[in-house]
Amino acid sequence: MVTPIEDTVPEVSEDVDADELAEIVDELATMNSDDWSTIAENGVAAAAQLEFAFSAVHEDAATDLLEGVRDDLGYAATATEPQGELDDGVVRGTTSEVSVTKEGLEEWVRRIAAYGLDHEGAVLDGWAVLLD
């Protein structure tokens, strides 16, 4: 049986600012190119992989998040160092194969965004479903 996507990320920590989290989740709902309809229309809800990206304010934050995404969540991930003084580091990852419901996806987005914030304020920039 494939794990529900929301079960791959821990509950939101009490240390995460609820207003900041809500702002990020709202922005993602507006700006993200994929949403539940992409998963439903492509018939991949029973076994999907999602990719995602975070911006991290400095190299140590990116390293901390990268290690957490790999070790705590079990996702494949890579990090790119900031290219200049004003650039952010980027952590990109891919979930394992998971099952996805509309409610589960909404909860995963909330939890993964909170996970980033809890790792030195990394911001979830977006996610996409991987299609063959």
Side-chain angles (χ1 to χ4, degrees):
M1 178 171 203
V2 180
T3 303
I5 193 168
E6 65 273 23
D7 291 349
T8 64
V9 184
E11 295 281 338
V12 175
S13 165
E14 292 179 10
D15 296 334
V16 172
D17 182 288
D19 292 333
E20 184 177 13
L21 176 59
E23 185 177 315
I24 291 168
V25 170
D26 287 346
E27 185 174 312
L28 285 167
T30 303
M31 309 270 309
N32 206 59
S33 61
D34 283 351
D35 61 15
W36 167 248
S37 67
T38 306
I39 293 168
E41 290 168 5
N42 285 284
V44 296
Q49 274 192 295
L50 278 65
E51 63 182 352
F52 54 88
F54 287 94
S55 294
V57 293
H58 52 75
E59 189 175 346
D60 288 344
T63 300
D64 179 54
L65 179 61
L66 175 66
E67 290 172 358
V69 166
R70 285 180 177 167
D71 298 341
D72 298 341
L73 306 183
Y75 295 164
T78 59
T80 306
E81 295 179 15
Q83 299 303 308
E85 206 172 285
L86 301 177
D87 292 333
D88 289 338
V90 176
V91 174
R92 295 184 190 285
T94 306
T95 68
S96 55
E97 193 170 89
V98 292
S99 65
V100 183
T101 62
K102 184 175 193 254
E103 296 79 17
L105 178 62
E106 290 170 359
E107 183 62 15
W108 177 79
V109 169
R110 190 176 80 80
R111 288 183 186 186
I112 195 87
Y115 189 84
L117 289 174
D118 205 31
H119 284 78
E120 300 193 48
V123 175
L124 181 63
D125 290 327
W127 64 270
V129 63
L130 295 174
L131 300 171
D132 291 332

